[in-house]
């Protein structure tokens, strides 16, 4: 049974559902294993626990939103 784990920041229920559905479909197509055999989990991490370029994700999101308002 193929097992897929996704780690990400916070997601809505709708995002999780779509992510699980579409990843399963793509993996099934590529591997030619029926989708019924795939097991998918999502591990959410708080934005303050993830960093990119020396900044936490929550800080990066905040800066991005501020820059979008200025445009």
């Amino acid at each position: 049974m193929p097992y897929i784990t996704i780690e990400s920041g916070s997601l809505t229920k709708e995002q999780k559902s779509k992510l699980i559905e579409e990843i399963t479909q793509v993996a099934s197509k590529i591997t030619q294993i029926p989708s019924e055999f795939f097991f998918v989990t999502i591990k959410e991490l708080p934005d303050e626990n993830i960093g990119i370029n020396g900044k936490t994700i929550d800080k990066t999101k905040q800066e991005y939103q501020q820059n979008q308002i200025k445009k």
Side-chain angles (χ1 to χ4, degrees):
M1 178 180 306
Y3 178 78
I4 299 171
T5 300
I6 302 161
E7 291 191 25
S8 74
S10 298
L11 300 169
T12 66
K13 285 185 179 185
E14 293 79 20
Q15 289 172 318
K16 292 178 209 178
S17 179
K18 188 167 182 154
L19 191 57
I20 290 170
E21 179 184 340
E22 292 190 19
I23 284 179
T24 300
Q25 289 173 1
V26 170
S28 176
K29 181 180 176 183
I30 291 170
T31 62
Q32 297 182 350
I33 297 171
S35 61
E36 302 82 47
F37 293 105
F38 280 84
F39 185 79
V40 180
T41 61
I42 297 175
K43 179 180 180 182
E44 290 181 275
L45 302 168
D47 287 346
E48 65 267 13
N49 289 4
I50 306 169
I52 297 174
N53 193 28
K55 298 178 187 174
T56 60
I57 293 293
D58 57 346
K59 178 72 173 172
T60 301
K61 284 181 179 179
Q62 184 181 42
E63 290 174 358
Y64 176 80
Q65 290 170 346
Q66 288 173 349
N67 288 334
Q68 292 302 308
I69 293 171
K70 292 178 185 178
K71 290 183 179 181

